[in-house]
mmCIF file with all atom_site columns, all heavy atoms in Angstrom:
data_model
loop_
_atom_site.group_PDB
_atom_site.id
_atom_site.type_symbol
_atom_site.label_atom_id
_atom_site.label_alt_id
_atom_site.label_comp_id
_atom_site.label_asym_id
_atom_site.label_entity_id
_atom_site.label_seq_id
_atom_site.pdbx_PDB_ins_code
_atom_site.Cartn_x
_atom_site.Cartn_y
_atom_site.Cartn_z
_atom_site.occupancy
_atom_site.B_iso_or_equiv
_atom_site.pdbx_formal_charge
_atom_site.auth_seq_id
_atom_site.auth_comp_id
_atom_site.auth_asym_id
_atom_site.auth_atom_id
_atom_site.pdbx_PDB_model_num
ATOM 1   N N   . ALA A 1 1  ? -45.270 -100.422 39.875 1.00 98.00 ? 1  ALA A N   1
ATOM 2   C CA  . ALA A 1 1  ? -46.394 -101.346 40.019 1.00 98.00 ? 1  ALA A CA  1
ATOM 3   C C   . ALA A 1 1  ? -45.926 -102.641 40.664 1.00 98.00 ? 1  ALA A C   1
ATOM 4   O O   . ALA A 1 1  ? -46.019 -103.726 40.079 1.00 98.00 ? 1  ALA A O   1
ATOM 5   C CB  . ALA A 1 1  ? -47.035 -101.611 38.660 1.00 98.00 ? 1  ALA A CB  1
ATOM 6   N N   . ASN A 1 2  ? -45.415 -102.535 41.885 1.00 98.00 ? 2  ASN A N   1
ATOM 7   C CA  . ASN A 1 2  ? -44.907 -103.700 42.585 1.00 98.00 ? 2  ASN A CA  1
ATOM 8   C C   . ASN A 1 2  ? -44.801 -103.387 44.068 1.00 98.00 ? 2  ASN A C   1
ATOM 9   O O   . ASN A 1 2  ? -45.214 -102.309 44.507 1.00 98.00 ? 2  ASN A O   1
ATOM 10  C CB  . ASN A 1 2  ? -43.560 -104.142 42.008 1.00 98.00 ? 2  ASN A CB  1
ATOM 11  C CG  . ASN A 1 2  ? -43.406 -105.651 42.012 1.00 98.00 ? 2  ASN A CG  1
ATOM 12  O OD1 . ASN A 1 2  ? -43.410 -106.290 43.051 1.00 98.00 ? 2  ASN A OD1 1
ATOM 13  N ND2 . ASN A 1 2  ? -43.257 -106.238 40.819 1.00 98.00 ? 2  ASN A ND2 1
ATOM 14  N N   . ARG A 1 3  ? -44.240 -104.297 44.815 1.00 98.00 ? 3  ARG A N   1
ATOM 15  C CA  . ARG A 1 3  ? -44.113 -104.168 46.266 1.00 98.00 ? 3  ARG A CA  1
ATOM 16  C C   . ARG A 1 3  ? -42.773 -104.745 46.709 1.00 98.00 ? 3  ARG A C   1
ATOM 17  O O   . ARG A 1 3  ? -41.984 -105.212 45.893 1.00 98.00 ? 3  ARG A O   1
ATOM 18  C CB  . ARG A 1 3  ? -45.264 -104.890 46.977 1.00 98.00 ? 3  ARG A CB  1
ATOM 19  C CG  . ARG A 1 3  ? -45.234 -106.402 46.757 1.00 98.00 ? 3  ARG A CG  1
ATOM 20  C CD  . ARG A 1 3  ? -46.315 -107.158 47.525 1.00 98.00 ? 3  ARG A CD  1
ATOM 21  N NE  . ARG A 1 3  ? -46.227 -106.928 48.957 1.00 98.00 ? 3  ARG A NE  1
ATOM 22  C CZ  . ARG A 1 3  ? -45.411 -107.587 49.781 1.00 98.00 ? 3  ARG A CZ  1
ATOM 23  N NH1 . ARG A 1 3  ? -44.590 -108.521 49.308 1.00 98.00 ? 3  ARG A NH1 1
ATOM 24  N NH2 . ARG A 1 3  ? -45.408 -107.321 51.073 1.00 98.00 ? 3  ARG A NH2 1
ATOM 25  N N   . GLY A 1 4  ? -42.528 -104.740 48.012 1.00 97.00 ? 4  GLY A N   1
ATOM 26  C CA  . GLY A 1 4  ? -41.373 -105.423 48.569 1.00 97.00 ? 4  GLY A CA  1
ATOM 27  C C   . GLY A 1 4  ? -40.042 -104.836 48.151 1.00 97.00 ? 4  GLY A C   1
ATOM 28  O O   . GLY A 1 4  ? -39.931 -103.665 47.780 1.00 97.00 ? 4  GLY A O   1
ATOM 29  N N   . GLU A 1 5  ? -39.023 -105.699 48.178 1.00 98.00 ? 5  GLU A N   1
ATOM 30  C CA  . GLU A 1 5  ? -37.664 -105.217 47.957 1.00 98.00 ? 5  GLU A CA  1
ATOM 31  C C   . GLU A 1 5  ? -37.453 -104.652 46.563 1.00 98.00 ? 5  GLU A C   1
ATOM 32  O O   . GLU A 1 5  ? -36.664 -103.715 46.387 1.00 98.00 ? 5  GLU A O   1
ATOM 33  C CB  . GLU A 1 5  ? -36.637 -106.321 48.251 1.00 98.00 ? 5  GLU A CB  1
ATOM 34  C CG  . GLU A 1 5  ? -36.636 -107.514 47.313 1.00 98.00 ? 5  GLU A CG  1
ATOM 35  C CD  . GLU A 1 5  ? -35.783 -107.303 46.075 1.00 98.00 ? 5  GLU A CD  1
ATOM 36  O OE1 . GLU A 1 5  ? -34.943 -106.398 46.049 1.00 98.00 ? 5  GLU A OE1 1
ATOM 37  O OE2 . GLU A 1 5  ? -35.989 -108.051 45.107 1.00 98.00 ? 5  GLU A OE2 1
ATOM 38  N N   . ILE A 1 6  ? -38.135 -105.181 45.551 1.00 98.00 ? 6  ILE A N   1
ATOM 39  C CA  . ILE A 1 6  ? -37.901 -104.677 44.195 1.00 98.00 ? 6  ILE A CA  1
ATOM 40  C C   . ILE A 1 6  ? -38.497 -103.285 44.020 1.00 98.00 ? 6  ILE A C   1
ATOM 41  O O   . ILE A 1 6  ? -37.941 -102.451 43.301 1.00 98.00 ? 6  ILE A O   1
ATOM 42  C CB  . ILE A 1 6  ? -38.426 -105.664 43.127 1.00 98.00 ? 6  ILE A CB  1
ATOM 43  C CG1 . ILE A 1 6  ? -37.889 -105.282 41.739 1.00 98.00 ? 6  ILE A CG1 1
ATOM 44  C CG2 . ILE A 1 6  ? -39.946 -105.729 43.130 1.00 98.00 ? 6  ILE A CG2 1
ATOM 45  C CD1 . ILE A 1 6  ? -36.372 -105.234 41.655 1.00 98.00 ? 6  ILE A CD1 1
ATOM 46  N N   . ALA A 1 7  ? -39.614 -103.006 44.688 1.00 98.00 ? 7  ALA A N   1
ATOM 47  C CA  . ALA A 1 7  ? -40.173 -101.653 44.636 1.00 98.00 ? 7  ALA A CA  1
ATOM 48  C C   . ALA A 1 7  ? -39.214 -100.663 45.283 1.00 98.00 ? 7  ALA A C   1
ATOM 49  O O   . ALA A 1 7  ? -38.980 -99.558  44.768 1.00 98.00 ? 7  ALA A O   1
ATOM 50  C CB  . ALA A 1 7  ? -41.533 -101.611 45.334 1.00 98.00 ? 7  ALA A CB  1
ATOM 51  N N   . VAL A 1 8  ? -38.605 -101.061 46.408 1.00 98.00 ? 8  VAL A N   1
ATOM 52  C CA  . VAL A 1 8  ? -37.622 -100.212 47.080 1.00 98.00 ? 8  VAL A CA  1
ATOM 53  C C   . VAL A 1 8  ? -36.409 -99.992  46.190 1.00 98.00 ? 8  VAL A C   1
ATOM 54  O O   . VAL A 1 8  ? -35.891 -98.877  46.063 1.00 98.00 ? 8  VAL A O   1
ATOM 55  C CB  . VAL A 1 8  ? -37.196 -100.844 48.430 1.00 98.00 ? 8  VAL A CB  1
ATOM 56  C CG1 . VAL A 1 8  ? -36.023 -100.080 49.040 1.00 98.00 ? 8  VAL A CG1 1
ATOM 57  C CG2 . VAL A 1 8  ? -38.372 -100.867 49.391 1.00 98.00 ? 8  VAL A CG2 1
ATOM 58  N N   . ARG A 1 9  ? -35.948 -101.058 45.542 1.00 98.00 ? 9  ARG A N   1
ATOM 59  C CA  . ARG A 1 9  ? -34.776 -100.967 44.638 1.00 98.00 ? 9  ARG A CA  1
ATOM 60  C C   . ARG A 1 9  ? -35.033 -99.973  43.505 1.00 98.00 ? 9  ARG A C   1
ATOM 61  O O   . ARG A 1 9  ? -34.169 -99.149  43.173 1.00 98.00 ? 9  ARG A O   1
ATOM 62  C CB  . ARG A 1 9  ? -34.476 -102.358 44.076 1.00 98.00 ? 9  ARG A CB  1
ATOM 63  C CG  . ARG A 1 9  ? -33.442 -102.389 42.941 1.00 98.00 ? 9  ARG A CG  1
ATOM 64  C CD  . ARG A 1 9  ? -32.043 -102.123 43.453 1.00 98.00 ? 9  ARG A CD  1
ATOM 65  N NE  . ARG A 1 9  ? -31.069 -102.185 42.384 1.00 98.00 ? 9  ARG A NE  1
ATOM 66  C CZ  . ARG A 1 9  ? -30.657 -101.149 41.660 1.00 98.00 ? 9  ARG A CZ  1
ATOM 67  N NH1 . ARG A 1 9  ? -31.164 -99.940  41.900 1.00 98.00 ? 9  ARG A NH1 1
ATOM 68  N NH2 . ARG A 1 9  ? -29.751 -101.288 40.716 1.00 98.00 ? 9  ARG A NH2 1
ATOM 69  N N   . ILE A 1 10 ? -36.204 -100.023 42.913 1.00 98.00 ? 10 ILE A N   1
ATOM 70  C CA  . ILE A 1 10 ? -36.528 -99.136  41.794 1.00 98.00 ? 10 ILE A CA  1
ATOM 71  C C   . ILE A 1 10 ? -36.663 -97.695  42.272 1.00 98.00 ? 10 ILE A C   1
ATOM 72  O O   . ILE A 1 10 ? -36.197 -96.762  41.603 1.00 98.00 ? 10 ILE A O   1
ATOM 73  C CB  . ILE A 1 10 ? -37.813 -99.616  41.093 1.00 98.00 ? 10 ILE A CB  1
ATOM 74  C CG1 . ILE A 1 10 ? -37.600 -101.006 40.471 1.00 98.00 ? 10 ILE A CG1 1
ATOM 75  C CG2 . ILE A 1 10 ? -38.246 -98.621  40.009 1.00 98.00 ? 10 ILE A CG2 1
ATOM 76  C CD1 . ILE A 1 10 ? -38.884 -101.708 40.068 1.00 98.00 ? 10 ILE A CD1 1
ATOM 77  N N   . ILE A 1 11 ? -37.280 -97.497  43.425 1.00 98.00 ? 11 ILE A N   1
ATOM 78  C CA  . ILE A 1 11 ? -37.430 -96.141  43.975 1.00 98.00 ? 11 ILE A CA  1
ATOM 79  C C   . ILE A 1 11 ? -36.059 -95.523  44.225 1.00 98.00 ? 11 ILE A C   1
ATOM 80  O O   . ILE A 1 11 ? -35.827 -94.346  43.912 1.00 98.00 ? 11 ILE A O   1
ATOM 81  C CB  . ILE A 1 11 ? -38.272 -96.171  45.268 1.00 98.00 ? 11 ILE A CB  1
ATOM 82  C CG1 . ILE A 1 11 ? -39.734 -96.481  44.933 1.00 98.00 ? 11 ILE A CG1 1
ATOM 83  C CG2 . ILE A 1 11 ? -38.176 -94.836  46.011 1.00 98.00 ? 11 ILE A CG2 1
ATOM 84  C CD1 . ILE A 1 11 ? -40.595 -96.777  46.151 1.00 98.00 ? 11 ILE A CD1 1
ATOM 85  N N   . ARG A 1 12 ? -35.129 -96.307  44.761 1.00 98.00 ? 12 ARG A N   1
ATOM 86  C CA  . ARG A 1 12 ? -33.783 -95.781  45.007 1.00 98.00 ? 12 ARG A CA  1
ATOM 87  C C   . ARG A 1 12 ? -33.093 -95.384  43.711 1.00 98.00 ? 12 ARG A C   1
ATOM 88  O O   . ARG A 1 12 ? -32.419 -94.349  43.638 1.00 98.00 ? 12 ARG A O   1
ATOM 89  C CB  . ARG A 1 12 ? -32.953 -96.825  45.764 1.00 98.00 ? 12 ARG A CB  1
ATOM 90  C CG  . ARG A 1 12 ? -33.361 -96.953  47.231 1.00 98.00 ? 12 ARG A CG  1
ATOM 91  C CD  . ARG A 1 12 ? -32.639 -98.089  47.919 1.00 98.00 ? 12 ARG A CD  1
ATOM 92  N NE  . ARG A 1 12 ? -32.951 -98.102  49.352 1.00 98.00 ? 12 ARG A NE  1
ATOM 93  C CZ  . ARG A 1 12 ? -32.867 -99.178  50.123 1.00 98.00 ? 12 ARG A CZ  1
ATOM 94  N NH1 . ARG A 1 12 ? -32.488 -100.331 49.603 1.00 98.00 ? 12 ARG A NH1 1
ATOM 95  N NH2 . ARG A 1 12 ? -33.157 -99.112  51.405 1.00 98.00 ? 12 ARG A NH2 1
ATOM 96  N N   . ALA A 1 13 ? -33.256 -96.201  42.668 1.00 98.00 ? 13 ALA A N   1
ATOM 97  C CA  . ALA A 1 13 ? -32.656 -95.863  41.377 1.00 98.00 ? 13 ALA A CA  1
ATOM 98  C C   . ALA A 1 13 ? -33.256 -94.568  40.833 1.00 98.00 ? 13 ALA A C   1
ATOM 99  O O   . ALA A 1 13 ? -32.530 -93.701  40.323 1.00 98.00 ? 13 ALA A O   1
ATOM 100 C CB  . ALA A 1 13 ? -32.876 -97.008  40.383 1.00 98.00 ? 13 ALA A CB  1
ATOM 101 N N   . CYS A 1 14 ? -34.563 -94.438  40.953 1.00 98.00 ? 14 CYS A N   1
ATOM 102 C CA  . CYS A 1 14 ? -35.235 -93.222  40.476 1.00 98.00 ? 14 CYS A CA  1
ATOM 103 C C   . CYS A 1 14 ? -34.773 -91.989  41.256 1.00 98.00 ? 14 CYS A C   1
ATOM 104 O O   . CYS A 1 14 ? -34.553 -90.921  40.672 1.00 98.00 ? 14 CYS A O   1
ATOM 105 C CB  . CYS A 1 14 ? -36.746 -93.371  40.585 1.00 98.00 ? 14 CYS A CB  1
ATOM 106 S SG  . CYS A 1 14 ? -37.470 -94.527  39.385 1.00 98.00 ? 14 CYS A SG  1
ATOM 107 N N   . ASN A 1 15 ? -34.634 -92.130  42.570 1.00 98.00 ? 15 ASN A N   1
ATOM 108 C CA  . ASN A 1 15 ? -34.166 -91.012  43.387 1.00 98.00 ? 15 ASN A CA  1
ATOM 109 C C   . ASN A 1 15 ? -32.792 -90.529  42.922 1.00 98.00 ? 15 ASN A C   1
ATOM 110 O O   . ASN A 1 15 ? -32.534 -89.326  42.824 1.00 98.00 ? 15 ASN A O   1
ATOM 111 C CB  . ASN A 1 15 ? -34.099 -91.416  44.862 1.00 98.00 ? 15 ASN A CB  1
ATOM 112 C CG  . ASN A 1 15 ? -35.470 -91.541  45.499 1.00 98.00 ? 15 ASN A CG  1
ATOM 113 O OD1 . ASN A 1 15 ? -36.458 -91.030  44.975 1.00 98.00 ? 15 ASN A OD1 1
ATOM 114 N ND2 . ASN A 1 15 ? -35.542 -92.222  46.630 1.00 98.00 ? 15 ASN A ND2 1
ATOM 115 N N   . GLU A 1 16 ? -31.909 -91.476  42.610 1.00 98.00 ? 16 GLU A N   1
ATOM 116 C CA  . GLU A 1 16 ? -30.565 -91.115  42.155 1.00 98.00 ? 16 GLU A CA  1
ATOM 117 C C   . GLU A 1 16 ? -30.590 -90.470  40.771 1.00 98.00 ? 16 GLU A C   1
ATOM 118 O O   . GLU A 1 16 ? -29.673 -89.721  40.421 1.00 98.00 ? 16 GLU A O   1
ATOM 119 C CB  . GLU A 1 16 ? -29.681 -92.362  42.141 1.00 98.00 ? 16 GLU A CB  1
ATOM 120 C CG  . GLU A 1 16 ? -29.383 -92.918  43.531 1.00 98.00 ? 16 GLU A CG  1
ATOM 121 C CD  . GLU A 1 16 ? -28.577 -94.201  43.480 1.00 98.00 ? 16 GLU A CD  1
ATOM 122 O OE1 . GLU A 1 16 ? -27.951 -94.469  42.427 1.00 98.00 ? 16 GLU A OE1 1
ATOM 123 O OE2 . GLU A 1 16 ? -28.570 -94.941  44.484 1.00 98.00 ? 16 GLU A OE2 1
ATOM 124 N N   . MET A 1 17 ? -31.632 -90.764  39.998 1.00 98.00 ? 17 MET A N   1
ATOM 125 C CA  . MET A 1 17 ? -31.749 -90.201  38.649 1.00 98.00 ? 17 MET A CA  1
ATOM 126 C C   . MET A 1 17 ? -32.576 -88.916  38.620 1.00 98.00 ? 17 MET A C   1
ATOM 127 O O   . MET A 1 17 ? -32.774 -88.324  37.561 1.00 98.00 ? 17 MET A O   1
ATOM 128 C CB  . MET A 1 17 ? -32.388 -91.243  37.721 1.00 98.00 ? 17 MET A CB  1
ATOM 129 C CG  . MET A 1 17 ? -31.578 -92.523  37.564 1.00 98.00 ? 17 MET A CG  1
ATOM 130 S SD  . MET A 1 17 ? -32.467 -93.812  36.647 1.00 98.00 ? 17 MET A SD  1
ATOM 131 C CE  . MET A 1 17 ? -32.361 -93.171  34.976 1.00 98.00 ? 17 MET A CE  1
ATOM 132 N N   . GLY A 1 18 ? -33.078 -88.492  39.792 1.00 98.00 ? 18 GLY A N   1
ATOM 133 C CA  . GLY A 1 18 ? -33.887 -87.280  39.853 1.00 98.00 ? 18 GLY A CA  1
ATOM 134 C C   . GLY A 1 18 ? -35.296 -87.453  39.324 1.00 98.00 ? 18 GLY A C   1
ATOM 135 O O   . GLY A 1 18 ? -35.934 -86.500  38.871 1.00 98.00 ? 18 GLY A O   1
ATOM 136 N N   . ILE A 1 19 ? -35.814 -88.684  39.402 1.00 98.00 ? 19 ILE A N   1
ATOM 137 C CA  . ILE A 1 19 ? -37.159 -88.995  38.919 1.00 98.00 ? 19 ILE A CA  1
ATOM 138 C C   . ILE A 1 19 ? -38.095 -89.157  40.113 1.00 98.00 ? 19 ILE A C   1
ATOM 139 O O   . ILE A 1 19 ? -37.789 -89.901  41.053 1.00 98.00 ? 19 ILE A O   1
ATOM 140 C CB  . ILE A 1 19 ? -37.157 -90.295  38.083 1.00 98.00 ? 19 ILE A CB  1
ATOM 141 C CG1 . ILE A 1 19 ? -36.215 -90.156  36.881 1.00 98.00 ? 19 ILE A CG1 1
ATOM 142 C CG2 . ILE A 1 19 ? -38.571 -90.641  37.621 1.00 98.00 ? 19 ILE A CG2 1
ATOM 143 C CD1 . ILE A 1 19 ? -35.983 -91.462  36.138 1.00 98.00 ? 19 ILE A CD1 1
ATOM 144 N N   . ARG A 1 20 ? -39.227 -88.493  40.100 1.00 98.00 ? 20 ARG A N   1
ATOM 145 C CA  . ARG A 1 20 ? -40.218 -88.639  41.158 1.00 98.00 ? 20 ARG A CA  1
ATOM 146 C C   . ARG A 1 20 ? -40.923 -89.982  41.027 1.00 98.00 ? 20 ARG A C   1
ATOM 147 O O   . ARG A 1 20 ? -41.083 -90.500  39.906 1.00 98.00 ? 20 ARG A O   1
ATOM 148 C CB  . ARG A 1 20 ? -41.244 -87.494  41.116 1.00 98.00 ? 20 ARG A CB  1
ATOM 149 C CG  . ARG A 1 20 ? -40.638 -86.139  41.512 1.00 98.00 ? 20 ARG A CG  1
ATOM 150 C CD  . ARG A 1 20 ? -41.694 -85.053  41.504 1.00 98.00 ? 20 ARG A CD  1
ATOM 151 N NE  . ARG A 1 20 ? -42.755 -85.287  42.472 1.00 98.00 ? 20 ARG A NE  1
ATOM 152 C CZ  . ARG A 1 20 ? -42.676 -85.041  43.782 1.00 98.00 ? 20 ARG A CZ  1
ATOM 153 N NH1 . ARG A 1 20 ? -41.559 -84.554  44.290 1.00 98.00 ? 20 ARG A NH1 1
ATOM 154 N NH2 . ARG A 1 20 ? -43.697 -85.278  44.588 1.00 98.00 ? 20 ARG A NH2 1
ATOM 155 N N   . THR A 1 21 ? -41.334 -90.534  42.156 1.00 98.00 ? 21 THR A N   1
ATOM 156 C CA  . THR A 1 21 ? -41.922 -91.869  42.150 1.00 98.00 ? 21 THR A CA  1
ATOM 157 C C   . THR A 1 21 ? -43.309 -91.885  42.781 1.00 98.00 ? 21 THR A C   1
ATOM 158 O O   . THR A 1 21 ? -43.589 -91.136  43.721 1.00 98.00 ? 21 THR A O   1
ATOM 159 C CB  . THR A 1 21 ? -41.023 -92.864  42.901 1.00 98.00 ? 21 THR A CB  1
ATOM 160 O OG1 . THR A 1 21 ? -40.765 -92.363  44.223 1.00 98.00 ? 21 THR A OG1 1
ATOM 161 C CG2 . THR A 1 21 ? -39.715 -93.060  42.170 1.00 98.00 ? 21 THR A CG2 1
ATOM 162 N N   . VAL A 1 22 ? -44.133 -92.778  42.258 1.00 98.00 ? 22 VAL A N   1
ATOM 163 C CA  . VAL A 1 22 ? -45.468 -93.016  42.796 1.00 98.00 ? 22 VAL A CA  1
ATOM 164 C C   . VAL A 1 22 ? -45.566 -94.492  43.152 1.00 98.00 ? 22 VAL A C   1
ATOM 165 O O   . VAL A 1 22 ? -45.306 -95.366  42.312 1.00 98.00 ? 22 VAL A O   1
ATOM 166 C CB  . VAL A 1 22 ? -46.564 -92.646  41.775 1.00 98.00 ? 22 VAL A CB  1
ATOM 167 C CG1 . VAL A 1 22 ? -47.951 -93.019  42.318 1.00 98.00 ? 22 VAL A CG1 1
ATOM 168 C CG2 . VAL A 1 22 ? -46.503 -91.164  41.435 1.00 98.00 ? 22 VAL A CG2 1
ATOM 169 N N   . ALA A 1 23 ? -45.914 -94.788  44.400 1.00 98.00 ? 23 ALA A N   1
ATOM 170 C CA  . ALA A 1 23 ? -46.081 -96.165  44.847 1.00 98.00 ? 23 ALA A CA  1
ATOM 171 C C   . ALA A 1 23 ? -47.561 -96.499  44.935 1.00 98.00 ? 23 ALA A C   1
ATOM 172 O O   . ALA A 1 23 ? -48.393 -95.630  45.232 1.00 98.00 ? 23 ALA A O   1
ATOM 173 C CB  . ALA A 1 23 ? -45.428 -96.374  46.205 1.00 98.00 ? 23 ALA A CB  1
ATOM 174 N N   . VAL A 1 24 ? -47.881 -97.754  44.651 1.00 98.00 ? 24 VAL A N   1
ATOM 175 C CA  . VAL A 1 24 ? -49.232 -98.261  44.892 1.00 98.00 ? 24 VAL A CA  1
ATOM 176 C C   . VAL A 1 24 ? -49.112 -99.380  45.920 1.00 98.00 ? 24 VAL A C   1
ATOM 177 O O   . VAL A 1 24 ? -48.083 -100.051 46.011 1.00 98.00 ? 24 VAL A O   1
ATOM 178 C CB  . VAL A 1 24 ? -49.901 -98.772  43.601 1.00 98.00 ? 24 VAL A CB  1
ATOM 179 C CG1 . VAL A 1 24 ? -50.185 -97.618  42.651 1.00 98.00 ? 24 VAL A CG1 1
ATOM 180 C CG2 . VAL A 1 24 ? -49.033 -99.822  42.901 1.00 98.00 ? 24 VAL A CG2 1
ATOM 181 N N   . TYR A 1 25 ? -50.160 -99.565  46.711 1.00 98.00 ? 25 TYR A N   1
ATOM 182 C CA  . TYR A 1 25 ? -50.071 -100.572 47.759 1.00 98.00 ? 25 TYR A CA  1
ATOM 183 C C   . TYR A 1 25 ? -51.444 -101.115 48.100 1.00 98.00 ? 25 TYR A C   1
ATOM 184 O O   . TYR A 1 25 ? -52.474 -100.479 47.853 1.00 98.00 ? 25 TYR A O   1
ATOM 185 C CB  . TYR A 1 25 ? -49.403 -99.993  49.011 1.00 98.00 ? 25 TYR A CB  1
ATOM 186 C CG  . TYR A 1 25 ? -50.148 -98.849  49.682 1.00 98.00 ? 25 TYR A CG  1
ATOM 187 C CD1 . TYR A 1 25 ? -51.018 -99.087  50.750 1.00 98.00 ? 25 TYR A CD1 1
ATOM 188 C CD2 . TYR A 1 25 ? -49.992 -97.532  49.250 1.00 98.00 ? 25 TYR A CD2 1
ATOM 189 C CE1 . TYR A 1 25 ? -51.700 -98.053  51.371 1.00 98.00 ? 25 TYR A CE1 1
ATOM 190 C CE2 . TYR A 1 25 ? -50.659 -96.492  49.861 1.00 98.00 ? 25 TYR A CE2 1
ATOM 191 C CZ  . TYR A 1 25 ? -51.508 -96.747  50.928 1.00 98.00 ? 25 TYR A CZ  1
ATOM 192 O OH  . TYR A 1 25 ? -52.185 -95.718  51.539 1.00 98.00 ? 25 TYR A OH  1
ATOM 193 N N   . SER A 1 26 ? -51.446 -102.317 48.684 1.00 98.00 ? 26 SER A N   1
ATOM 194 C CA  . SER A 1 26 ? -52.676 -102.930 49.170 1.00 98.00 ? 26 SER A CA  1
ATOM 195 C C   . SER A 1 26 ? -52.916 -102.495 50.613 1.00 98.00 ? 26 SER A C   1
ATOM 196 O O   . SER A 1 26 ? -52.029 -101.942 51.266 1.00 98.00 ? 26 SER A O   1
ATOM 197 C CB  . SER A 1 26 ? -52.556 -104.455 49.108 1.00 98.00 ? 26 SER A CB  1
ATOM 198 O OG  . SER A 1 26 ? -51.633 -104.907 50.089 1.00 98.00 ? 26 SER A OG  1
#
């Protein structure tokens, strides 16, 4: 539930942990 660099940072962490991600955007 965010945008910008922190959303990218969290997605990368999830990818490394084998967790699927859902992004929301304006």
Side-chain angles (χ1 to χ4, degrees):
N2 216 298
R3 65 176 302 277
E5 67 86 17
I6 193 57
V8 172
R9 170 72 179 92
I10 296 165
I11 289 170
R12 286 174 174 156
C14 289
N15 287 342
E16 292 176 19
M17 298 172 74
I19 301 171
R20 291 182 63 79
T21 55
V22 175
V24 292
Y25 63 95
S26 70

